[in-house]
Amino acid sequence: MYGPNISVDFVPILDLLPGSPDTPTGLGAAVVGDGNEVLVVWKPNHADGITYTLEGSNNGTTWTQLAALYDQFVFDEAGLGYSVTRYYTLRASNPYGTSGYCTPVVVTTLAAPPIVPIPPFVPPHIPSAAIRRVVVTGGIVIPEGMV
């Protein structure tokens, strides 16, 4: 018995447990390296023990999990090729639940660098009147002034 002047408030234990993490924010992506690599970063939640699930897509509709990263806030996707468009989204989870997905970001890798042809070797012009030919062993012909 508590007596006539004592009151007890009961707090449900579920109200004391942490919930699922907030939806991640600050998702960004940038082309790095030689132009066919993307660095994806995001702002961490304010709690430890969070696993971030990063997903990627080539069309913004069909998604594939790229990584599940525990307390990490950066991911590097290399070897994509040139002029490739990629979409990225992210969600966070902890033992109490999973957040929603954040707003996707889109990035396109750089175009392939141009192929610069190497011009053929053109020997310097030597006036034919100035050349007396000398044949060297092996059949190589060298102008006299070059020996």
Side-chain angles (χ1 to χ4, degrees):
M1 294 264 157
Y2 296 112
N5 296 328
I6 298 176
S7 66
V8 177
D9 291 329
F10 291 97
V11 177
I13 193 155
L14 293 177
D15 288 346
L16 300 175
L17 294 175
S20 59
D22 293 333
T23 299
T25 60
L27 181 64
V31 176
V32 295
D34 62 357
N36 62 4
E37 180 177 353
V38 173
L39 187 67
V40 183
V41 296
W42 56 93
K43 182 179 177 184
N45 282 332
H46 298 290
D48 292 331
I50 299 205
T51 298
Y52 296 94
T53 303
L54 179 68
E55 296 187 12
S57 171
N58 290 329
N59 56 21
T61 304
T62 306
W63 297 89
T64 302
Q65 180 176 325
L66 300 176
L69 304 164
Y70 183 75
D71 282 343
Q72 294 181 28
F73 322 112
V74 64
F75 178 80
D76 182 36
E77 188 173 24
L80 292 171
Y82 295 105
S83 300
V84 173
T85 299
R86 289 290 283 165
Y87 298 79
Y88 298 94
T89 191
L90 181 73
R91 64 182 175 170
S93 60
N94 64 16
Y96 305 103
T98 301
S99 74
Y101 286 99
C102 66
T103 303
V105 295
V106 61
V107 64
T108 301
T109 59
L110 300 180
I115 298 173
V116 179
I118 299 172
F121 175 74
V122 178
H125 177 69
I126 301 173
S128 58
I131 298 176
R132 289 186 299 160
R133 297 186 182 271
V134 178
V135 177
V136 180
T137 306
I140 300 173
V141 178
I142 301 177
E144 182 181 80
M146 311 271 292
V147 179

